[in-house]
Amino acid sequence: MMVDDTNAGFLSEAAAAITDGTTALGIELGSTRIKAVLVDSSANTLSSATYDWQSEMVDGHWSYALEDVWTGIQTCFARLSEDVLFRYEVPLKRVGYMGISAMMHGYLAFDENGKQLVPFRTWRDTTTGQACEKLIQEFQTNIPHRWSVAHYYQAMLNGEEHVSDVRFLTTLSGYVHWKLTGEKILGIGDASGMFPIELESKTYDSECVKKFGSLTREFDIGVGIDQLLPRVACAGEYAGKLTEEGATLLDHTGVFQPGAEFCPPEGDAGTGMTATNAIMPRTGNVSVGTSLFAMIVLESPIKAVYREIDLVCTPEGKPVAMVHCNNGSADLNAWVMLFQEVLRTFGKSVSPDELYSKLLNISSEGRSDGGGLISYNYIAGEPITGVETGTPMFLRKNDSEFNLANFMQSQLMGVFATLRIGMDILTGEEGVAIDYLLAHGGLFKTPVIAQQTLADALGTPIAVGENAGEGGAWGMAVLALFNEYRDAMYLQDYLNSHVFRTEKSTVLDPKPEGTEGFAQYLEDFKSKLPAQEALDVQGTE
């Protein structure tokens, strides 16, 4: 939470902390926004800055150019530095700790000289179906489309020439960390989306490594998968320091100095768990952004293999069941921007935040089942429902009640519909117990509305804390701060005693009317899924 700038005492203390370098900096590269957050030693936000960007299709793959990665990071850091100077009248020359987070998984491949071999293939890709089928059969664990090993193996199956030259594979967070520190390290949460993890040893599963070697022997790649992957590290482990080259990458002006200690880089799922203090069994969090996922910390590993459930880890290496939907609030955002354009044609100027709040509040006046309106937010393919390419689609029944309130209600329920399908497997077939879930992301800045809809959708109490809008960059800064305490306590103890001790949150229970309405909406949603499948077929003709 931002602290009141009128507090002269705080301003003085903050300026001293910035000057002394007793701060931590978290940077997260999300799907549509890069964000940097500077915090003091108590995890209070001192300054933040953002940079907007978008993925693009390159050779049939969702991608971001690495040049854009650095343009975004440098611009974001420059804005942060300007804000620090403006607020506290001191330059940002150093920090004590740093951490890098980014969208999980995907495929970044480099040769022995560190040259990128093919454009970055992101989590959004659904081009690895053949590889996933073979790997699931071989490993007897779910391997989602977006996992790095799936991309690597699919490249082999496709006969791509670059495969024989691969000498390092990593994720986006691992790549940025490598360039800033020189260390090829990855936090266990992000690493668990590259290759299956062995919970006891907290490194890559040795049996799966052997099986992958046997499976790929015919391709004669000459190096084992375990030699290509970054070293796995858990929260609090030393992960290198900012080098002179890294400091220059961040800040071309030369003001920012090297030497900050890094924590292991993590994926946005790991920072989401940290930012919501949801890293203990029977808890979890729901993160809403361009993608949407729920992370449920397990008391014990689940028994069966489900294509809808990923098995990953908390930043400390505890088992997590992840229900990952490729599509989150991006289609809802597009509709809000369309309404903003309509207002502009009438000469009306309304900020996106104000418009979002107004429209979300209007949704509460709609029918609990959406009034016969159905929204598919499938900008990309959606593996959970077997949709390969995805097409945003809005449908209404002949007898629907077509008005703005029901439209917004259907849009909001459409954001959570696919998540519910995956969660039903965990709570139904596996009997996973969940006491409550913590939600975070910009959608929850508007009080109550999205939170209540999510509670009704999942039939589970949903909590939203004061830092719900801060997101993963703040969570990454918190993980960086934990480095100072790694020899004294576990991450959970640190979060409880140092970060969330005075945290206030609101908890909303499911309402019977809302739960029944969502069940009807979901039935309609499922019944019209063949329309998405038909669009998939047309897109391949």
Side-chain angles (χ1 to χ4, degrees):
M1 57 194 152
M2 298 300 294
V3 181
D4 187 358
D5 286 355
T6 62
N7 186 327
F10 172 78
L11 289 174
S12 176
E13 292 176 4
I18 293 166
T19 300
D20 296 341
T22 58
T23 54
L25 175 62
I27 299 176
E28 181 161 280
L29 294 91
S31 304
T32 59
R33 187 177 66 171
I34 299 172
K35 185 173 184 179
V37 173
L38 183 72
V39 302
D40 63 17
S41 58
S42 297
N44 295 309
T45 299
L46 302 177
S47 178
S48 66
T50 62
Y51 175 86
D52 293 333
W53 68 339
Q54 291 287 346
S55 59
E56 58 182 351
M57 288 293 288
V58 179
D59 299 330
H61 299 279
W62 288 103
S63 185
Y64 300 83
L66 294 191
E67 293 84 358
D68 293 340
V69 168
W70 293 111
T71 297
I73 290 175
Q74 290 160 4
T75 303
C76 192
F77 184 82
R79 291 171 178 171
L80 182 82
S81 298
E82 291 170 3
D83 185 64
V84 166
L85 187 60
F86 174 77
R87 286 174 181 270
Y88 307 106
E89 299 181 346
V90 294
L92 181 59
K93 291 185 176 181
R94 64 182 63 83
V95 298
Y97 300 98
M98 283 187 67
I100 301 296
S101 173
M103 58 194 93
M104 291 180 73
H105 317 150
Y107 185 70
L108 276 163
F110 302 90
D111 68 11
E112 61 183 4
N113 298 313
K115 177 185 176 183
Q116 187 183 15
L117 294 171
V118 290
F120 176 34
R121 298 172 184 177
T122 80
W123 59 270
R124 209 172 195 177
D125 253 27
T126 53
T127 58
T128 58
Q130 183 184 6
C132 290
E133 291 294 329
K134 290 179 177 287
L135 291 171
I136 291 170
Q137 183 177 8
E138 190 72 22
F139 292 170
Q140 286 301 294
T141 189
N142 187 33
I143 304 295
H145 287 74
R146 65 189 177 280
W147 278 29
S148 306
V149 65
H151 281 283
Y152 183 44
Y153 185 41
Q154 188 66 53
M156 295 182 199
L157 297 175
N158 292 345
E160 297 185 40
E161 293 183 1
H162 79 272
V163 168
S164 61
D165 295 324
V166 175
R167 291 300 177 268
F168 179 46
L169 295 173
T170 191
T171 65
L172 185 55
S173 74
Y175 162 73
V176 175
H177 182 96
W178 170 39
K179 289 301 180 182
L180 295 180
T181 68
E183 302 287 344
K184 295 178 177 179
I185 291 175
L186 198 59
I188 192 168
D190 209 358
S192 65
M194 292 197 77
F195 195 88
I197 292 289
E198 201 169 63
L199 293 174
E200 294 77 15
S201 63
K202 290 184 170 47
T203 189
Y204 304 111
D205 189 296
S206 56
E207 287 302 312
C208 289
V209 169
K210 292 177 185 177
K211 291 177 179 178
F212 189 78
S214 299
L215 187 65
T216 59
R217 188 172 291 120
E218 63 180 290
F219 297 102
D220 193 28
I221 54 179
V223 59
I225 184 71
D226 55 331
Q227 297 174 275
L228 302 179
L229 298 170
R231 179 173 70 81
V232 180
C234 292
E237 289 189 38
Y238 175 80
K241 289 189 175 184
L242 181 67
T243 63
E244 290 187 11
E245 295 82 359
T248 301
L249 265 178
L250 281 175
D251 177 23
H252 288 313
T253 69
V255 172
F256 195 64
Q257 300 299 302
E261 181 177 323
F262 273 73
C263 66
E266 266 297 352
D268 49 4
T271 58
M273 283 187 279
T274 304
T276 54
N277 194 18
I279 63 170
M280 292 300 290
R282 297 176 67 96
T283 68
N285 76 96
V286 176
S287 176
V288 182
T290 303
S291 64
L292 166 67
F293 53 83
M295 308 285 292
I296 313 302
V297 186
L298 302 172
E299 296 177 281
S300 59
I302 61 177
K303 299 180 284 294
V305 177
Y306 303 98
R307 304 296 177 93
E308 300 87 349
I309 309 296
D310 310 354
L311 297 180
V312 290
C313 296
T314 70
E316 282 189 308
K318 293 185 177 70
V320 172
M322 181 182 191
V323 180
H324 185 282
C325 308
N326 268 6
N327 301 280
S329 60
D331 190 45
L332 173 60
N333 296 344
W335 281 106
V336 173
M337 292 303 99
L338 179 65
F339 291 138
Q340 188 176 51
E341 187 176 344
V342 171
L343 290 172
R344 284 179 185 149
T345 65
F346 288 93
K348 305 293 184 181
S349 178
V350 180
S351 71
D353 286 348
E354 183 182 356
L355 184 57
Y356 242 113
S357 179
K358 189 70 173 177
L359 290 172
L360 287 180
N361 277 291
I362 286 173
S363 74
S364 66
E365 301 172 11
R367 280 182 40 175
S368 62
D369 62 357
L373 311 182
I374 311 167
S375 173
Y376 295 88
N377 61 338
Y378 290 178
I379 289 178
E382 191 54 79
I384 285 181
T385 51
V387 174
E388 292 188 9
T389 56
T391 302
M393 186 168 65
F394 171 70
L395 302 176
R396 60 190 179 103
K397 296 178 181 179
N398 292 338
D399 60 349
S400 64
E401 296 179 28
F402 189 32
N403 56 45
L404 183 59
N406 283 339
F407 178 81
M408 291 307 302
Q409 177 75 330
S410 74
Q411 289 290 324
L412 195 52
M413 290 195 292
V415 171
F416 300 127
T418 304
L419 178 67
R420 165 65 183 272
I421 293 171
M423 289 293 291
D424 279 347
I425 294 172
L426 276 182
T427 58
E429 298 183 36
E430 284 289 327
V432 171
I434 304 172
D435 292 335
Y436 61 91
L437 295 173
L438 295 111
H440 65 115
L443 197 60
F444 300 100
K445 287 183 178 180
T446 299
V448 177
I449 306 301
Q451 183 182 2
Q452 186 64 62
T453 302
L454 181 57
D456 295 340
L458 302 184
T460 300
I462 301 294
V464 172
E466 292 175 318
N467 289 301
E470 292 286 7
W474 181 78
M476 195 67 239
V478 169
L479 284 174
L481 283 175
F482 177 59
N483 270 26
E484 186 174 347
Y485 298 88
R486 59 176 170 249
D487 295 328
M489 62 186 72
Y490 293 111
L491 178 60
Q492 183 64 61
D493 297 327
Y494 168 70
L495 294 178
N496 287 336
S497 61
H498 287 70
V499 180
F500 293 98
R501 185 181 62 226
T502 60
E503 168 82 350
K504 296 179 181 178
S505 61
T506 59
V507 181
L508 295 180
D509 293 321
K511 293 181 177 179
E513 181 185 356
T515 301
E516 292 169 9
F518 193 90
Q520 179 58 56
Y521 179 88
L522 188 64
E523 184 178 328
D524 292 339
F525 184 94
K526 290 178 179 178
S527 72
K528 302 300 185 292
L529 274 172
Q532 279 285 332
E533 297 167 4
L535 290 169
D536 266 354
V537 172
Q538 291 176 16
T540 59
E541 291 177 349

